[in-house]
Amino acid sequence: MSSTTPLDTAASPAPVRFDTKIAVLLRADLEPWQRLNVTAFLVSGLGATLPEVVGEPYEDADQVAYLPMFRQPVLVFQGEKETLKAAHERALSRALPRAVFTADLFATGNDRDNRAAVRAVPTAELDLVGLSVYGPRNAVDKVLKGARMHP
């Protein structure tokens, strides 16, 4: 009789299916470093504002503690400038929790200047390079219409 390990998929429970979705939509023309930076910034506000998206702290076998992380995957999508604009409008119309990253933020170096750069531009004129959104799966799917999964 063979024993199972925690990583043995045959012994693992069925995958969890979440009724919510965390998604990031990036403009397709970003450089790789920009994609990573924008994604990190966009999701950072979710955990601070929506505690239900954060799981329990981690601990390894030696009882070294680690910070908690999101309790569900973050799905990353990409699209053209028009796709981001439409997704932003749909997220606003559905009043879903969201964060934006504009092209202007690549030229700033701190939170105060980031907020000032966004505040200086009317909603319809934001030069969006990234958007994160959280909410019921079907609502987030509708917001992301026209986007494709990031490769």
Side-chain angles (χ1 to χ4, degrees), residues 16-27:
V16 175
R17 185 152 167 89
F18 296 97
D19 58 351
T20 58
K21 186 178 274 189
I22 299 171
V24 173
L25 175 56
L26 302 171
R27 203 165 74 192

Side-chain angles (χ1 to χ4, degrees), residues 38-60:
V38 170
T39 300
F41 268 92
L42 287 171
V43 299
S44 68
L46 289 174
T49 307
L50 303 163
E52 69 270 17
V53 302
V54 179
E56 296 295 321
Y58 286 71
E59 184 177 279
D60 65 24

Side-chain angles (χ1 to χ4, degrees), residues 41 44-45 100 105 108-119:
F41 268 92
S44 68
V100 295
L105 302 188
T108 60
N110 60 74
D111 185 54
R112 182 192 70 235
D113 291 340
N114 286 351
R115 285 183 282 111
V118 173
R119 187 178 298 114

